[in-house]
Amino acid sequence: MTDKELLNIAINAMEKSYSPYSDCKVGAALLCENGKVFTGTNIENAAFSPTICAERVAVFKAISDGEKKFSKIAVVGGKNGVINGIFAPCGVCRQVLREFCKDDFQIILGESKEEYKVVTLNDLLPLSFSPDDVR
Ligand SMILES: [Zn+2]
């Protein structure tokens, strides 16, 4: 699967966002090593703290279906679903990704419906705390 194809899946996932409080819609598409793709979107809550990000929804869906080996993730978002630059994963999602992915894990960041930037998890979370640190 190409980066652009994964980005398009993330864009479609973004449309399902439940974000009545921020109006920020986010979509994620997580590609497993076996070719399966798990999508996620942000889901907000009136009590705020139960809110969860698109990236974690995708990862947790995959984990709960028994998948733990991931190739890359595409993330896209914007106010009212208008993609106008990168919507980078928050710190919590970076740490969740680090639980299952190595430093060279690729993150495709949508800049528009056509353009994107590819970075690594190490770019976003250098000197990370990983499972190797507690084993
Ligand atoms: Zn997040």
Side-chain angles (χ1 to χ4, degrees):
M1 172 162 313
T2 68
D3 292 350
K4 184 67 173 65
E5 288 170 334
L6 198 61
L7 180 67
N8 286 338
I9 295 170
I11 290 170
N12 286 334
M14 179 183 72
E15 300 301 326
K16 298 181 178 71
S17 170
Y18 178 76
S19 47
Y21 307 106
S22 75
D23 294 322
C24 290
K25 298 180 183 295
V26 185
L30 178 67
L31 178 65
C32 301
E33 285 184 5
N34 63 9
K36 286 186 186 173
V37 176
F38 289 86
T39 60
T41 192
N42 57 323
I43 304 167
E44 295 182 347
N45 189 283
F48 292 109
S49 64
T51 294
I52 188 166
C53 303
E55 300 91 320
R56 276 180 286 149
V57 170
V59 170
F60 296 161
K61 283 168 70 177
I63 297 297
S64 64
D65 266 13
E67 303 295 341
K68 291 188 182 69
K69 295 185 176 180
F70 307 128
S71 297
K72 52 190 172 183
I73 190 170
V75 181
V76 67
K79 190 80 171 176
N80 299 311
V82 177
I83 307 165
N84 188 20
I86 286 170
F87 239 61
C90 77
V92 174
C93 289
R94 295 176 193 201
Q95 186 64 45
V96 167
L97 287 168
R98 188 62 186 88
E99 183 70 21
F100 303 102
C101 307
K102 300 295 184 193
D103 282 335
D104 61 353
F105 177 74
Q106 290 191 326
I107 300 166
I108 301 152
L109 300 170
E111 297 179 299
S112 70
K113 285 194 172 183
E114 302 299 326
E115 297 169 80
Y116 57 89
K117 176 179 288 187
V118 181
V119 299
T120 66
L121 185 54
N122 187 61
D123 292 330
L124 299 184
L125 194 65
L127 300 172
S128 63
F129 187 78
S130 77
D132 293 337
D133 294 312
V134 292
R135 288 188 178 131

